[in-house]
Amino acid sequence: MTKNVPAPAPAPRQMRTAMVALAGSLVIAACGGGGGGPSFPIIPPAPAPAPAPAPTPLATLDGSVPLVIGHRGLPGLYPEETKTAYEAAADAGADSLETDLHLTKDCVLVARHNPWLSDNTNIADVAATNATVAARKRTVPGVRVNVSYPVTPENGPAQYLSDLTDPSDPKSVLKSLVVDGEDHTNDWSITDFTMDELRQWVRGTTYDAKDQRPTDLNGKLPILSFQEVIDIAKAKSASTGRTLTVYPETKNPIWNNAQAIANGCGPVGSHPLEDALLKIMNFNDLNRKDAPIFVQSFEPQSLKYLRSAGLKARAVQLVDGNDVNYQTGAMIYVTNDDYTFVDGRPYSWTLAGNPKFFGEMLTPAGLAEVKTYADGIGPWKPQVMSHTIVPYKDKGTLADVNTVKPTSLIADAHKAGLFVHSYTFRNEAKYLAGLYKGDPTAEYLLYFRAGIDGVFSDFANTAFAARKAYLTETGR
């Protein structure tokens, strides 16, 4: 049997000689020399990696990242408009700390959503053992006043509720508790307490979805002044390296000013609420066009007065509505009850005999008017996105909404030079259209993709995460 025997390995000296010869051949080939010897191809360097595709442009007014606005702080997890809620919102990534403003009995701007206190503080518990607090409950009913515009079904009810129970006595507004046409008889008014009394006696609680949100801190966290909210924003800006804005609302300014004048905070015909806001803005160097602040109001009269009185910072016209027609997606402003006056139109329009509704502001002509005194609008979510049930079923609810599409509002507002900050985004299923199947991120993404400039959120942590996902999908 013949065996295949491998050739012996070359001796080490022979290997070195062969390697030197091969190296010399490579040098000759590379230099173009030759004499008929072997040649070897030159291997080009690897190509540079292709540049990453440019990020998709954002559809916001100026192409900037949409804002996460901590609506009353982070009330989805903590009692609203408290130090803990605001600090948590900042830590969760909120760009702005939103707050509602009222004037206390001693003319201090206080951060609280509603001026009636039983639904967002522990005042009822306090009153059970504190006779002074108990005695301040307002029990005098309001009075009905005829509207001064034509009474037609299209204009709503013929009478609205007023707290001016004695037209000859401006101080009579301190007896009943009717706020811009909304009745809260047998409740406590924030304007009956000084700032020190509020700090001493009253603590914040959860409000929206109070049956689903944490309650362990209810009644334990003090009420804040607006200055304290500003101080939190400054401190968090310093500690995080991000510039946080504050986002105050002149809340119920018609009512607040009447209350404040009756309490001696200003002469008849003055605007104590707005004047106090301007004063604190000037004190904190916030009255600049580029200052870290947005001033908001549902009341155009309030924003117009502020402009005339020297407001230079950014202003936002909030826009309300009562309900949605889920068959057409149209907003409903007229109701057969007092909510026509509360949510259907600015209260100053009712007093002035103007029968139009908030929807007037969202027309091209209305947006042009808003642009004369504001920099942006703050509409309700269904005004930005049409909510419908397809096919329609009678008496359908938000849970049945299966079609959500952009209206022309963002495009119209941007064309008018106005940014759009929409309210209010919440995690609980009862606040979400059925389309989202209980996923709040799905809602955020729809609005971000449509070009929304900012979102008011009760859950800044969820909004921040959803925005991060959106920016990732745009290549950022």
Side-chain angles (χ1 to χ4, degrees), residues 32-61:
S39 63
F40 298 89
I42 300 173
I43 301 174
T56 304
L58 302 182
T60 50
L61 176 62

Side-chain angles (χ1 to χ4, degrees), residues 241-471:
R242 299 183 295 114
T243 299
L244 274 75
T245 60
V246 288
Y247 211 126
E249 177 185 349
T250 57
K251 192 79 171 181
N252 310 114
I254 304 296
W255 178 85
N256 257 297
N257 284 326
Q259 295 282 305
I261 291 168
N263 276 326
C265 299
V268 174
S270 65
H271 295 75
L273 180 67
E274 291 88 351
D275 291 342
L277 176 55
L278 280 173
K279 182 178 180 180
I280 201 168
M281 288 175 63
N282 287 326
F283 177 78
N284 289 277
D285 190 29
L286 291 173
N287 194 15
R288 296 176 282 106
K289 185 67 175 178
D290 60 347
I293 187 171
F294 295 88
V295 177
Q296 57 173 332
S297 186
F298 283 103
E299 185 51 71
Q301 183 188 84
S302 183
L303 296 178
K304 290 179 179 180
Y305 171 77
L306 282 165
R307 284 293 188 215
S308 70
L311 177 70
K312 299 179 180 66
R314 292 165 291 186
V316 182
Q317 175 64 63
L318 301 175
V319 187
D320 211 345
N322 266 308
D323 207 343
V324 181
N325 181 332
Y326 291 131
Q327 183 172 13
T328 66
M331 187 62 47
I332 296 172
Y333 297 100
V334 183
T335 59
N336 293 322
D337 55 25
D338 287 334
Y339 282 96
T340 288
F341 308 106
V342 176
D343 297 322
R345 68 168 65 92
Y347 193 58
S348 65
W349 289 10
T350 292
L351 299 182
N354 180 356
K356 295 180 180 179
F357 299 98
F358 272 112
E360 187 76 14
M361 296 180 178
L362 304 182
T363 65
L367 292 169
E369 162 68 12
V370 170
K371 181 60 179 174
T372 64
Y373 62 87
D375 303 275
I377 57 171
W380 188 23
K381 290 185 299 184
Q383 292 166 325
V384 177
M385 294 278 188
S386 174
H387 288 53
T388 54
I389 300 170
V390 182
Y392 178 71
K393 71 174 186 178
D394 193 28
K395 297 181 180 179
T397 67
L398 182 62
D400 300 307
V401 169
N402 55 14
T403 306
V404 179
K405 296 180 179 179
T407 67
S408 66
L409 182 55
I410 291 178
D412 291 343
H414 286 178
K415 185 177 180 180
L418 297 164
F419 57 75
V420 183
H421 296 167
S422 190
Y423 67 90
T424 301
F425 291 76
R426 299 181 169 108
N427 284 13
E428 291 87 4
K430 69 178 181 179
Y431 297 121
L432 295 169
L435 172 74
Y436 305 122
K437 302 185 185 304
D439 178 13
T441 297
E443 181 180 45
Y444 286 110
L445 289 175
L446 199 61
Y447 281 77
F448 287 146
R449 291 164 183 158
I452 202 77
D453 299 282
V455 292
F456 291 88
S457 175
D458 279 8
F459 293 84
N461 53 329
T462 305
F464 180 81
R467 184 180 66 180
K468 183 177 180 180
Y470 166 66
L471 294 177

Side-chain angles (χ1 to χ4, degrees), residues 5-227:
V5 180
R13 184 172 181 177
Q14 292 174 315
M15 289 184 67
R16 285 197 298 271
T17 303
M19 291 295 291
V20 170
L22 177 59
S25 299
L26 286 171
V27 170
I28 293 170
C31 294
S39 63
F40 298 89
I42 300 173
I43 301 174
T56 304
L58 302 182
T60 50
L61 176 62
D62 58 2
S64 60
V65 173
L67 297 178
V68 171
I69 304 161
H71 182 244
R72 309 179 209 159
L74 208 168
L77 301 178
Y78 305 98
E80 63 179 32
E81 302 194 73
T82 60
K83 185 172 186 285
T84 300
Y86 284 121
E87 290 180 338
D91 292 340
D95 304 295
S96 192
L97 305 182
E98 190 267 353
T99 186
D100 309 283
L101 298 182
H102 301 280
L103 276 177
T104 62
K105 187 176 182 178
D106 57 339
C107 318
V108 175
L109 286 172
V110 59
R112 193 98 308 251
H113 176 232
N114 290 327
W116 54 91
L117 295 175
S118 65
D119 63 5
N120 59 96
T121 75
N122 65 338
I123 197 164
D125 295 334
V126 174
T129 58
N130 186 318
T132 302
V133 172
R136 294 188 190 179
K137 179 185 286 189
R138 294 196 182 184
T139 60
V140 176
V143 296
R144 292 280 169 184
V145 178
N146 293 331
V147 299
S148 57
Y149 46 76
V151 178
T152 65
E154 293 77 19
N155 290 341
Q159 293 185 323
Y160 63 93
L161 196 59
S162 171
D163 61 348
L164 187 61
T165 55
D166 181 358
S168 64
D169 179 14
K171 290 192 175 184
S172 67
V173 298
L174 297 176
K175 297 179 180 179
S176 63
L177 189 49
V178 176
V179 182
D180 292 357
E182 188 172 357
D183 188 13
H184 288 278
T185 304
N186 294 316
D187 207 328
W188 290 266
S189 174
I190 201 166
T191 58
D192 287 339
F193 297 85
T194 67
M195 192 68 227
D196 283 345
E197 288 174 335
L198 290 170
R199 288 193 179 105
Q200 177 184 355
W201 292 327
V202 184
R203 299 289 183 270
T205 64
T206 57
Y207 176 49
D208 296 292
K210 63 178 64 178
D211 59 330
Q212 299 180 51
R213 296 182 177 180
T215 60
D216 55 304
L217 291 176
N218 279 359
K220 297 179 181 179
L221 303 176
I223 287 177
L224 302 177
S225 68
F226 180 43
Q227 182 61 58

